Amino acid sequence: MPEAPSAAHDSAPDTVLVVDFGAQYAQLIARRVREARVYSEIVPGTMPVAEMLAKNPKAIILSGGPSSVYEEGAPRLDDSRALFEAGVPVFGMCYGFQLMATTLGGTVDNTGAREYGRTELAVSKPGSTLFEGTPDNQSVWMSHGDACSAAPEGFTVTASTHVVPVAAFENDEKKLYGVQYHPEVMHSTHGQQILEHFLYRGAGLAPAWTTGNIVEEQIAAIREQVGDKRAICGLSGGVDSAVAAALVQKAIGSQLTCVYVDHGLMRKGETEQVEKDFVAATGVQLKVVDAQERFLGALAGVSDPETKRKIIGREFIRVFEQAQAEIIAEGGADVAFLVQGTLYPDVVESGGGSGTANIKSHHNVGGLPDDIEFELVEPLRQLFKDEVRMVGQELGLPDEIVQRQPFPGPGLGIRIVGEVTKERLDLLREADAIARHELTAAGLDRAIWQCPVVLLADVRSVGVQGDGRTYGHPIVLRPVSSEDAMTADWTRMPYEVLAKISTRITNEVPDVNRVVLDCTSKPPGTIEWE
């Protein structure tokens, strides 16, 4: 789980803790709080209440979860009553709502009456703290099997559904609030307004956490961590490493040297953009290392995606160690720190949070060798992608860098399903360049979160080109829409754009005779194929 900003900064933000009971949407809750310009931090439901309170939170949100409060082994706080009696404003959602109800003497019935999906909510107290200014009837997103039939003493029932008599309750005196549904999802039409009412009206918080705060906080934390030593940062050509480097550059100036490893796995034109545009925007010291042959040699004969990731991560660090030695030999001071553009979704997907599965290792999280010689500086580790873009804008980076589509650390190495060779990389680079050009020409860059172009190198299909039979590779287009990469849906692109991309790729890229569209959401599929 992400840690709060460094305590070294005297003006650390007011913090809202999001207690994760295994909810599908715990990260989304944290995002929604931040969208309300209030800092949020996720903590596991297994954390002792005393530790939660020791963090001095200004409010606490209890997430939903897949369990019934009556289920054996269901997540429980070690001292729920102490949490509710601490005087800290608490907002329970779904499972968190039912936990609050049962702990404080309310009634939750295991009736088997279920509500899943869109449900009509009837607000019985329109002027309440949560529902002020929202419609008496509104659509909300439900996902529960148990139902609350009686609120705890001292609570006012403020909403119900045709199945649930107590779908929301409030206790202004104790600053305790709860709803049976999921206000954090977009299907709850007034969910963000309800959440903000809790934050601003119930908890008395001000919307004061801004990108300026983030920059200020992290600059102070970076300076404290690095001190008078030197740091190096690997520029990958992507948004994350660029913003991380710009942030560290602002904090420690000439103590930072950026290293661009040309591993031969980048998209067309990206090396030139890093060497020119980024340096011009930041004034950073840049060392370029040509390591294409080294990476291709290490990847020769390797098809397993996880092995490829680990090889790329290992070689990346080894190149950095060589760069460190060269910088020292050139008269530089001791280089003790490695800057990485690790984001919160990277941490979660790499098993960095309590109870999370290691879905895949990331080149900048789970793929690092055990004998790494650097201490990591990860100034974006608490942030979601949209927040990173805002920080980049705050730092004055050009839109060409800040608004680029996400690109994985291992580069095109994990967009080739099969062995990575120079010929296959060149082929994929051309197909990818065509897709990016046509998406830009159609004005779809902002509408699409990311569009990985994948080469199925180990697959061949029959085709007809130039009046002859061909046996070429398929190219996969993977356009997706997302807010933070935790979940995603495939983007419904105009058919004429898809047709233009397909026609150009099959006409202009040798050895490709088929273009297919991946229309899988996440879950069940990840955004990248490998």
Side-chain angles (χ1 to χ4, degrees):
M1 296 298 170
E3 296 178 355
S6 170
H9 198 300
D10 293 336
S11 58
D14 290 340
T15 299
V16 173
L17 295 185
V18 177
V19 182
D20 183 5
F21 290 121
Q24 179 183 0
Y25 302 117
Q27 293 79 27
L28 185 55
I29 297 172
R31 272 184 42 80
R32 297 298 186 228
V33 174
R34 295 183 187 193
E35 286 173 8
R37 294 173 57 194
V38 177
Y39 179 73
S40 61
E41 175 187 347
I42 299 174
V43 297
T46 54
M47 176 180 283
V49 168
E51 286 187 26
M52 294 181 192
L53 297 177
K55 288 178 170 286
N56 192 31
K58 301 304 180 184
I60 294 174
I61 296 175
L62 305 180
S63 83
S67 303
S68 161
V69 289
Y70 295 109
E71 190 176 312
E72 185 176 351
R76 304 273 180 189
L77 297 172
D78 68 323
D79 194 347
S80 300
R81 186 166 290 275
L83 180 71
F84 298 128
E85 293 177 350
V88 178
V90 181
F91 188 20
M93 300 177 178
C94 194
Y95 180 86
F97 165 75
Q98 294 181 1
L99 183 63
M100 182 185 293
T102 54
T103 300
L104 298 177
T107 304
V108 174
D109 300 315
N110 187 214
T111 62
R114 302 173 181 226
E115 286 181 315
Y116 295 108
R118 294 183 189 273
T119 304
E120 285 301 308
L121 184 79
V123 178
S124 54
K125 298 289 183 182
S128 74
T129 296
L130 294 183
F131 293 102
E132 171 74 32
T134 67
D136 293 352
N137 293 283
Q138 50 193 272
S139 180
V140 300
W141 191 258
M142 290 282 192
S143 181
H144 68 94
D146 300 339
C148 183
S149 59
E153 185 177 351
F155 284 72
T156 300
V157 177
T158 53
S160 62
T161 72
H162 70 287
V163 171
V164 179
V166 183
F169 55 45
E170 306 178 31
N171 187 326
D172 286 320
E173 181 183 353
K174 294 186 177 181
K175 298 187 179 302
L176 302 177
Y177 306 88
V179 296
Q180 177 59 73
Y181 60 95
H182 289 277
E184 71 275 19
V185 304
M186 63 181 181
H187 306 296
S188 294
T189 52
H190 296 275
Q192 184 66 14
Q193 192 174 354
I194 302 302
L195 177 58
E196 290 179 3
H197 280 171
F198 165 70
L199 296 171
Y200 305 154
R201 293 156 58 86
L205 293 168
W209 193 65
T210 66
T211 50
N213 297 145
I214 298 171
V215 170
E216 187 181 357
E217 297 272 342
Q218 288 304 320
I219 286 175
I222 292 164
R223 286 174 178 165
E224 180 184 45
Q225 181 182 6
V226 176
D228 59 358
K229 294 184 179 180
R230 290 180 59 85
I232 57 175
C233 175
L235 287 178
S236 68
V239 179
D240 306 339
S241 67
V243 174
L247 192 52
V248 175
Q249 165 77 6
K250 192 171 182 66
I252 62 173
S254 61
Q255 292 169 243
L256 172 69
T257 299
C258 286
V259 178
Y260 176 70
V261 178
D262 187 1
H263 49 25
L265 306 175
M266 299 300 290
R267 294 178 293 191
K268 191 173 183 178
E270 289 186 321
T271 294
E272 293 76 13
Q273 185 181 57
V274 170
E275 291 185 276
K276 296 177 183 177
D277 296 351
F278 184 76
V279 173
T282 63
V284 74
Q285 299 178 64
L286 179 65
K287 182 180 181 66
V288 178
V289 180
D290 184 353
Q292 296 183 57
E293 291 186 7
R294 174 176 183 152
F295 277 80
L296 284 173
L299 290 168
V302 179
S303 296
D304 177 70
E306 196 66 6
T307 303
K308 285 194 288 186
R309 284 179 176 271
K310 291 185 182 300
I311 288 173
I312 294 169
R314 181 194 70 210
E315 294 303 314
F316 201 77
I317 292 298
R318 296 303 172 238
V319 171
F320 262 78
E321 289 171 343
Q322 290 182 6
Q324 177 195 35
E326 291 172 7
I327 291 169
I328 293 172
E330 293 165 3
D334 182 37
V335 179
F337 296 91
L338 170 61
V339 179
Q340 294 227 320
T342 309
L343 304 191
Y344 184 38
D346 297 334
V347 176
V348 173
E349 288 200 344
S350 298
S354 176
T356 58
N358 189 356
I359 299 171
K360 59 186 178 184
S361 68
H362 282 255
H363 147 126
N364 58 341
V365 181
L368 296 176
D370 294 334
D371 59 344
I372 180 172
E373 296 182 3
F374 302 104
E375 181 179 337
L376 296 181
V377 178
E378 299 175 304
L380 310 179
R381 190 179 178 88
Q382 305 160 7
L383 303 181
F384 293 95
K385 178 71 77 172
D386 59 333
E387 295 170 325
V388 172
R389 294 190 195 280
M390 290 188 289
V391 168
Q393 290 172 332
E394 180 79 16
L395 292 168
L397 293 179
D399 279 351
E400 291 77 14
I401 293 176
V402 174
Q403 298 301 333
R404 293 190 62 202
Q405 290 186 0
F407 189 59
L412 298 180
I414 60 165
R415 290 185 178 175
I416 294 176
V417 180
E419 182 185 3
V420 178
T421 66
K422 184 180 185 304
E423 294 72 26
R424 290 174 173 181
L425 284 166
D426 290 341
L427 183 158
L428 180 55
R429 258 189 281 272
E430 292 303 318
D432 177 86
I434 289 170
R436 286 191 290 146
H437 178 271
E438 293 302 333
L439 290 175
T440 300
L444 294 174
D445 285 342
R446 297 291 183 92
I448 295 176
W449 164 270
Q450 190 177 2
C451 186
V453 177
V454 181
L455 170 64
L456 302 185
D458 287 346
V459 176
R460 286 186 176 271
S461 64
V462 176
V464 178
Q465 291 171 298
D467 295 326
R469 180 185 176 93
T470 62
Y471 198 50
H473 296 292
I475 285 286
V476 180
L477 302 179
R478 174 72 166 133
V480 297
S481 300
S482 180
E483 290 187 324
D484 51 33
M486 299 302 300
T487 60
D489 194 11
W490 67 282
T491 305
R492 276 66 169 172
M493 288 171 51
Y495 289 155
E496 59 270 23
V497 177
L498 288 171
K500 188 175 290 188
I501 292 173
S502 176
T503 300
R504 284 198 59 194
I505 288 176
T506 52
N507 283 350
E508 299 175 30
V509 182
D511 211 24
V512 173
N513 63 1
R514 193 178 299 270
V515 175
V516 299
L517 176 66
D518 182 347
C519 55
T520 311
S521 63
K522 174 188 178 180
T526 54
I527 293 177
E528 299 289 346
W529 271 50
E530 293 201 336

